[in-house]
């Protein structure tokens, strides 16, 4: 028996913060650029994303680079103890043009990893990122569109609505904490935007209630549903069982899970998804 080849980790681009802008109470826009992004190839998909790489203080300031100018992350990892390894967080690419990568990040005070970083970011700060990934865009052949999510999905929804045809029909439903988190969305005339406020409620509950109360849309419907895992699970079942949407017409993902940090959620997400798919098969859905 031969040993399996070692898994090759993607090497991060080394960029720098160009500008920082507060879009709302909880959303900060960070524009990244610099010569280190010269080889960055943008994705054509509306849900394009990159992973920001955060090094622990123990990594120091030395940056071993590969011949292509990217960070040799394996070399960095080798110098760090197991409990102080780099961590990653995924964020939607809001836009990429002229070597400038735009990211909109959610901030909630000192909670999380990327949020506090974005809240303190300043021009000249180093940015390490991997990507892009992504695989979904609105279906141009659909009769209508349903774009649903919370604040974490708002950047992807904003990209998606800008891809819709001028005569598109549908609903955009976004849950945010309150009016202070609403931002302008450039939607076609016949696409209605619904802002749902969490307030002191359980995240996702108001979103589920609002979507289940919407009138039917013309079929076939192209749907994008992303956000808190529990709400996404309930909405997926509603759309599949009650609305009759086909699996291929849905882009559904739990970006985060209430009560779990990012590492904990990623460790259980595959099992969570398998359980949902098994329940749909048991219900006769294909």
């Amino acid at each position: 028996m031969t040993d399996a080849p070692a898994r090759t980790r993607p090497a991060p681009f080394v960029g720098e913060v160009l500008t920082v802008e507060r879009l709302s109470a909880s959303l900060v826009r960070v524009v990244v650029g610099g010569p280190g992004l010269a080889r960055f190839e943008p994705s054509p998909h509306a849900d394009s994303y990159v992973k920001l790489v955060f090094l622990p203080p123990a990594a120091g300031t030395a940056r071993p680079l590969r011949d292509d100018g990217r960070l040799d992350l394996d070399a960095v990892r080798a110098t760090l103890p197991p409990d102080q390894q780099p961590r990653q967080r995924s964020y939607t690419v809001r836009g990429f043009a002229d070597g400038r990568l735009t990211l909109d990040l959610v901030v909630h005070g000192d909670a999380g990893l990327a949020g506090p970083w974005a809240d303190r970011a300043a021009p000249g700060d180093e940015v390490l990122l991997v990507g892009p990934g992504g695989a979904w865009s609105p279906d141009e052949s659909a009769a209508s569109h349903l774009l649903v999510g919370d604040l974490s999905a708002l950047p992807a929804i904003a990209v998606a609505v800008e891809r819709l045809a001028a005569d598109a029909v549908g609903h955009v439903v976004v849950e945010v904490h309150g009016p202070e988190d609403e931002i302008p969305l450039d939607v076609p005339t016949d696409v209605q935007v619904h802002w749902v406020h969490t307030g002191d409620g359980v995240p996702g509950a108001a979103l589920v209630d609002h979507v289940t109360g919407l009138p039917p849309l013309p079929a076939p419907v192209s749907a994008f549903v992303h956000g808190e895992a529990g709400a996404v699970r309930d909405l997926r079942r509603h759309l599949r069982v009650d609305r009759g949407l086909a699996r291929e017409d849905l882009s559904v993902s739990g970006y985060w899970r209430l009560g779990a940090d990012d590492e904990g959620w990623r460790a259980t997400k595959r099992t969570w998804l398998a359980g949902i798919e098994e329940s749909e098969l048991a219900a006769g859905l294909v």
Side-chain angles (χ1 to χ4, degrees), residues 221-275:
V221 180
S222 174
F224 178 89
V225 181
H226 292 236
E228 197 281 320
V232 166
R233 176 200 60 217
D234 293 346
L235 287 170
R236 172 171 170 159
R237 182 163 185 83
H238 167 70
L239 294 175
R240 297 280 279 124
V241 175
D242 301 327
R243 306 269 180 161
L245 268 67
R247 177 66 188 89
E248 59 268 22
D249 292 332
L250 284 169
S251 173
V252 184
S253 180
Y255 278 167
W256 61 287
R257 188 169 192 173
L258 195 63
D261 62 15
D262 192 72
E263 283 78 18
W265 169 227
R266 282 191 283 118
T268 60
K269 186 174 181 179
R270 189 182 298 273
T271 302
W272 172 85
L273 180 58

Side-chain angles (χ1 to χ4, degrees), residues 132-148:
W136 177 87
S137 291
D139 184 355
E140 296 179 356
S141 67
S144 60
H145 300 268
L146 179 64
L147 306 175
V148 178

